[in-house]
Amino acid sequence: MLPPKHLLAIEGMYPPEIGQLLDLAESYALLNRSGKTQRDLLRGRTLINLFFEDSTRTRTSFELAGKRLGADVINMSVSASSVNKGETLLDTATTLNAMQCDLLVVRHDQSGAPALLAQKVDAAVINAGDGTHEHPTQALLDALTIRRRRGRLDGLTVAICGDIAHSRVARSNIFLLTTMGASVRLIGPPTLIPSGIEAMGITVSHDMDEGLRGVDIVMMLRLQRERMTKGLVPSAREFFRFYGLDAARLARAKPDALVMHPGPMNRGVEIDSAIADDPARSLIREQVEMGVAVRMAVLDVLGRKQRRNV
Amino acid sequence: MSESTKLLLENVRLLDPATGLDAAGALLVDHGRIADLGTGLGRPDGAEILDGGGAILCPGLLDMRAALGEPGFEYRETIASAAEAAAAGGITTLAALPDSAPAIDDPALVFLLRSRGEATGSLTILPYAAVTRGCRGGDDLAELGLLREAGAVAFSDGKRAIGSTQLMRRVLSYARAFGARIVQHPEDPSLAEGGAATEGELATRLGLPGIPAIAESIIVARDIRLARLTRGRLHFAHISTAESVELIRRAKAEGLEITCDTAPPYFDLNETAIGGYRTYAKLSPPLRPEADRQAIAAALADGTIDAVASDHQPRDADDKRLPFAQASAGGTGLATLLGVTLAQTQGGRLGLMAAVALLTCRPARLLGVEAGTLARGAPADLCLFDPEALWQVQAGKLPGKAQNTPFDGRALEGRVLGTWKAGRRVFAA
């Protein structure tokens, strides 16, 4: 299989592509635990983390992944206020081409911005989250985390809970999990479930107690505070009362159900601390670990294409 | 005219929906006016003779809705470049939207626009005037009476909906004193705010903020009731959903003085055109699902829709080379108006005569202007086209300045061969 040029979205990826990426990531997870590195793989390659939105977690994860493979990693943060309507997005592309960047990791608050950049830059573009569209490496790391614990994705039932409408994590996970044969249930208030999503092969529930019944994995999403000023949700306490995850609610799921969260968490808004910090149920720490491994796999695969161009 | 005062267009198929004429023949122009048409005209002495090769000769098209870049957005389009594109599209009369900078909210600006049109020598500009000052949608009405007197063809706030129910009621009411028609951009502003695509599965997949399709029909339903209350003259621009069509169909059956137009994208494209974040297909209203497109096509065929307008919205590359939600909405439409409309005749539901009527006599009647017919004595505004000539729309190679066509790559049957304004040839393919 020819390596792809970019990683812009999970939608459109085939099960073997996803499976191979996860296999490779698994090997990087083992390598990372062994304390060894592979610094020759991307030696002399330049990786730029181009972040138009604040992110510590994702940026650090890509930085670490790049460094463990020997790439020269540069972080560029462009604050949203200094971006004049995205016209500089293409100026930025020109600049990056001049710098001969090999791998470009992009986060942007606009859906489709990495795709637009990918049309203009020579580098391989990795979408690190665009607007409310996709966050492909998050879905891959979630899948790897689940697969390591459960041995498979096929046949599992995964509940994704909370603000689906504004979540790129939810979209990437829906595409990936349904592609790999898992069942997905979306749980949230009707104002946070986007129109037409039923067509994506999932089911929707507005009652969390009902929706969690019998699920293998409970994936919580972050609820942004601004949703409470736009008439979507009245208050944090009401949200927690009906859609927050605590022990009583988790008891509705399968006895061995596991809990995930892409972070950063709003404790007491969407998730109770007792659950988030319970090592027997929470995969949150492991998600972060798998994040580095998945990003190493992605950089490896896309870097191969770049190496071939040398 | 410097050379001959007479021009004979012979070997043409004369098509004039206003009179129902569809016959082989010839048309004689004298001193810029149509002197005669039909068969057996002979060849008058000294007349310039042009062989139409059997192509269709119809009235110059009347585009009842187009934005000009001028005044204020000359980097997108000038009146000269729009006139060039219009001539290439067979358009000889164009109603220009008032939401320019400054907005057309003063009688002097109406005069200015009319005379700028005359100065092109190829295009009559019929200015719309603003409903509210600056087309800002505030409570201060523009001087509808004075603007009407100055020659404003109808009133509109352009691509801004008249959102306030109270304001719409008063406007429809007040405009009656001047027989003026109010042209609404039917889109509920609060439902549409921040939206970039029609709400639904596709917008959700792409992660784009959606506008529910009912943002249109809510305003259509409301305004129909206001028209019933005020007995005002109301026109809905660029109708794009099945539900709106049904509401208008019923209002017409009731006898209300309500009319509507649509634009080619809404019967030729559906929302899938925005796939891959193609910003040239970002329009206002946004492209709709296939079922709506089919309803619009059906409404063209059954006569519910009164006119096809280009809804030309010139944009430059910088307006469009942005992430989708930030890109400016709007597409060019002058050069493709005829070809895309003619495509509707290929399925057989819309006849050729009816299609041309939607671009000529029907909008002319609606706006109350003397254009859009091949009448003896009328100015010789003419369009000669070959309904079978094949061409491909290519962004970057369109006549005029603006290249932001949503039809990029579309193959069309039906090509304008020549356009005449008051007897003078202003376009030759």
Side-chain angles (χ1 to χ4, degrees):
Chain A
M1 194 183 300
L2 264 178
K5 171 89 169 96
H6 308 288
L7 177 62
L8 299 174
I10 297 291
E11 186 177 19
M13 285 180 79
Y14 294 102
E17 288 178 89
I18 294 170
Q20 283 172 25
L21 258 179
L22 295 179
D23 292 344
L24 184 61
E26 179 111 41
S27 70
Y28 278 117
L30 296 174
L31 183 81
N32 288 342
R33 283 199 176 170
S34 75
K36 294 183 194 142
T37 56
Q38 257 198 358
R39 292 196 196 274
D40 52 331
L41 201 71
L42 294 180
R43 189 181 304 280
R45 303 284 110 201
T46 305
L47 184 161
I48 297 185
N49 273 325
L50 180 62
F51 276 60
F52 292 87
E53 251 187 7
D54 287 341
S55 157
T56 309
R57 183 179 305 249
T58 305
R59 200 204 63 220
T60 309
S61 182
F62 271 108
E63 184 172 357
L64 207 50
K67 284 182 170 166
R68 285 191 183 158
L69 296 177
D72 299 319
V73 181
I74 313 285
N75 291 320
M76 283 176 68
S77 290
V78 189
S79 75
S81 57
S82 72
V83 179
N84 177 19
K85 287 281 178 103
E87 171 49 18
T88 53
L89 195 59
L90 296 185
D91 294 343
T92 306
T94 312
T95 308
L96 293 167
N97 283 342
M99 290 175 174
Q100 284 155 348
C101 161
D102 300 295
L103 293 153
L104 181 65
V105 175
V106 185
R107 166 162 296 189
H108 201 286
D109 66 351
Q110 291 292 319
S111 301
L116 182 61
L117 261 178
Q119 292 169 15
K120 306 287 172 185
V121 296
D122 305 328
V125 175
I126 297 151
N127 179 4
D130 61 329
T132 54
H133 177 223
E134 284 221 38
H135 190 353
T137 57
Q138 179 71 43
L140 288 165
L141 75 87
D142 288 341
L144 180 61
T145 309
I146 296 169
R147 210 180 71 165
R148 279 169 58 88
R149 280 299 187 97
R150 285 284 181 266
R152 64 195 166 99
L153 296 167
D154 185 36
L156 297 179
T157 302
V158 181
I160 306 177
C161 311
D163 185 0
I164 312 292
H166 301 90
S167 177
R168 52 198 175 209
V169 173
R171 282 173 181 70
S172 285
N173 266 308
I174 291 166
F175 292 130
L176 191 150
L177 292 167
T178 53
T179 301
M180 299 306 278
S183 306
V184 176
R185 275 185 217 165
L186 303 181
I187 305 172
T191 46
L192 297 180
I193 303 289
S195 163
I197 199 148
E198 297 84 354
M200 287 159 66
I202 50 84
T203 58
V204 172
S205 172
H206 305 305
D207 179 336
M208 194 154 182
D209 290 328
E210 268 310 304
L212 287 183
R213 206 174 287 276
V215 307
D216 296 285
I217 304 287
V218 185
M219 218 177 248
M220 301 305 298
L221 298 172
R222 177 179 169 78
L223 182 76
Q224 309 262 355
R225 294 266 164 194
E226 69 189 67
R227 309 292 169 235
M228 287 164 237
T229 58
K230 295 270 169 73
L232 292 166
V233 173
S235 70
R237 69 174 189 176
E238 175 154 323
F239 185 81
F240 187 73
R241 166 71 184 79
F242 293 100
Y243 298 102
L245 185 68
D246 58 14
R249 247 186 205 125
L250 185 56
R252 304 276 182 156
K254 279 192 181 162
D256 59 349
L258 297 167
V259 177
M260 305 175 78
H261 194 298
M265 285 179 282
N266 286 312
R267 291 165 184 269
V269 177
E270 70 258 356
I271 191 163
D272 190 71
S273 283
I275 300 292
D277 301 333
D278 178 358
R281 310 301 295 272
S282 169
L283 295 175
I284 295 169
R285 202 202 69 89
E286 195 168 332
Q287 284 175 274
V288 178
E289 183 189 348
M290 292 308 123
V292 179
V294 153
R295 284 157 188 143
M296 287 169 81
V298 168
L299 294 177
D300 179 355
V301 169
L302 295 182
R304 270 178 227 165
K305 175 83 174 178
Q306 288 293 314
R307 286 195 296 282
R308 192 165 299 168
N309 290 343
V310 172
Chain B
M1 280 179 291
S2 52
E3 58 289 347
S4 168
T5 66
K6 286 186 179 146
L7 166 70
L8 183 72
L9 289 155
E10 61 174 25
N11 187 21
V12 295
R13 176 177 164 193
L14 296 163
L15 188 74
D16 185 18
T19 58
L21 171 69
D22 182 1
L27 184 142
L28 180 66
V29 179
D30 190 6
H31 285 92
R33 292 184 176 270
I34 297 170
D36 202 0
L37 72 163
T39 47
L41 302 189
R43 284 185 165 182
D45 285 345
E48 183 192 340
I49 312 281
L50 191 135
D51 184 341
I56 294 175
L57 186 68
C58 73
L61 309 185
L62 192 165
D63 180 0
M64 72 165 290
R65 183 181 175 88
L68 303 173
E70 227 179 314
F73 303 96
E74 290 79 1
Y75 71 96
R76 290 173 170 168
E77 186 93 276
T78 62
I79 286 172
S81 74
E84 183 197 338
I91 298 162
T92 51
T93 306
L94 174 150
L97 287 170
D99 50 341
S100 45
I104 309 304
D105 60 0
D106 187 283
L109 291 165
V110 175
F111 285 124
L112 172 78
L113 220 50
R114 292 185 79 95
S115 62
R116 290 294 308 276
E118 280 165 29
T120 66
S122 66
L123 185 66
T124 298
I125 295 177
L126 305 171
Y128 281 101
V131 170
T132 61
R133 286 199 194 267
C135 292
R136 283 187 297 266
D139 287 333
D140 41 350
L141 280 189
E143 295 161 321
L144 306 194
L146 295 176
L147 288 160
R148 180 83 175 139
E149 220 170 42
V153 72
F155 294 86
S156 168
D157 273 354
K159 53 193 178 299
R160 179 195 292 275
I162 300 162
S164 154
T165 312
Q166 179 68 281
L167 178 67
M168 191 59 174
R169 180 205 170 151
R170 287 181 178 151
V171 165
L172 281 170
S173 214
Y174 183 73
R176 281 181 57 220
F178 310 101
R181 194 177 296 266
I182 304 299
V183 176
Q184 173 70 298
H185 170 99
E187 187 173 58
D188 182 278
S190 68
L191 282 173
E193 191 190 350
T198 299
E199 188 176 287
E201 184 194 350
L202 182 69
T204 293
R205 281 178 187 273
L206 293 170
L208 294 175
I211 303 173
I214 57 157
E216 179 171 297
S217 47
I218 280 175
I219 293 293
V220 168
R222 180 198 77 174
D223 288 357
I224 286 170
R225 282 156 180 79
L226 291 175
R228 191 185 289 140
L229 178 73
T230 59
R231 285 172 292 127
R233 304 179 76 191
L234 173 62
H235 178 87
F236 294 112
H238 47 56
I239 283 299
S240 66
T241 75
E243 207 181 14
S244 303
V245 163
E246 193 44 45
L247 288 164
I248 293 166
R249 195 175 277 136
R250 275 189 257 142
K252 286 185 161 194
E254 191 189 318
L256 297 176
E257 210 180 326
I258 286 170
T259 52
C260 68
D261 69 73
T262 192
Y266 304 111
F267 54 78
D268 194 73
L269 300 173
N270 65 29
E271 61 179 352
T272 59
I274 68 167
Y277 301 101
R278 285 185 65 242
T279 57
Y280 275 18
K282 183 180 178 185
L283 306 175
S284 175
L287 289 170
R288 307 296 190 185
E290 175 62 12
D292 286 313
R293 186 199 68 77
Q294 289 180 18
I296 298 303
L300 285 178
D302 74 18
T304 304
I305 291 174
D306 298 278
V308 174
S310 71
D311 203 23
H312 179 71
Q313 292 281 349
R315 297 291 181 269
D316 87 337
D318 290 344
D319 295 322
K320 288 287 190 182
R321 268 188 217 139
L322 290 169
F324 195 88
Q326 291 176 336
S328 182
T332 60
L334 300 176
T336 50
L337 177 64
L338 179 67
V340 182
T341 304
L342 289 177
Q344 285 299 308
T345 65
Q346 283 155 14
R349 278 211 290 179
L350 182 69
L352 180 65
M353 180 82 83
V356 174
L358 287 161
L359 299 168
T360 55
C361 59
R362 291 186 71 189
R365 253 182 247 139
L366 199 160
L367 294 174
V369 295
E370 284 180 21
T373 177
L374 301 178
R376 286 183 185 83
D381 291 357
L382 307 168
C383 168
L384 182 73
F385 69 94
D386 178 347
E388 280 155 21
L390 201 68
W391 64 291
Q392 190 177 30
V393 182
Q394 273 183 285
K397 293 191 174 167
L398 290 172
K401 193 168 178 179
Q403 298 295 322
N404 54 308
T405 173
F407 300 109
D408 190 20
R410 173 85 160 87
L412 292 174
E413 257 180 77
R415 174 149 224 192
V416 177
L417 303 175
T419 307
W420 287 262
K421 181 68 183 173
R424 195 176 72 91
R425 189 154 195 179
V426 293
F427 173 75

